[in-house]
Amino acid sequence: MLVTLFASSLSVFIEGCQRLLHKASDPYRPELHYMRGPGPACRAKQRVEHP
């Protein structure tokens, strides 16, 4: 009973470590691909000139 509990806990710990290492080494960073707002061309089109 104690051996199976230890083996189960150890496997959960190892899986958690593997997930952590995988996430730490993942090169994809989605925050670099998000748009940050309208660019200068869009702002120039929307600019209203007052008479």
Side-chain angles (χ1 to χ4, degrees):
M1 172 74 177
L2 186 59
V3 173
T4 58
L5 180 62
F6 177 73
S8 151
S9 299
L10 184 62
S11 69
V12 168
F13 176 74
I14 290 173
E15 286 176 17
C17 289
Q18 287 174 340
R19 269 192 246 117
L20 180 64
L21 286 172
H22 184 268
K23 284 189 178 198
S25 66
D26 188 13
Y28 178 63
R29 294 182 50 201
E31 68 271 9
L32 298 178
H33 302 286
Y34 293 148
M35 292 186 62
R36 292 183 176 93
C42 184
R43 278 187 243 126
K45 286 182 198 173
Q46 293 177 353
R47 190 177 347 185
V48 176
E49 299 200 14
H50 298 285

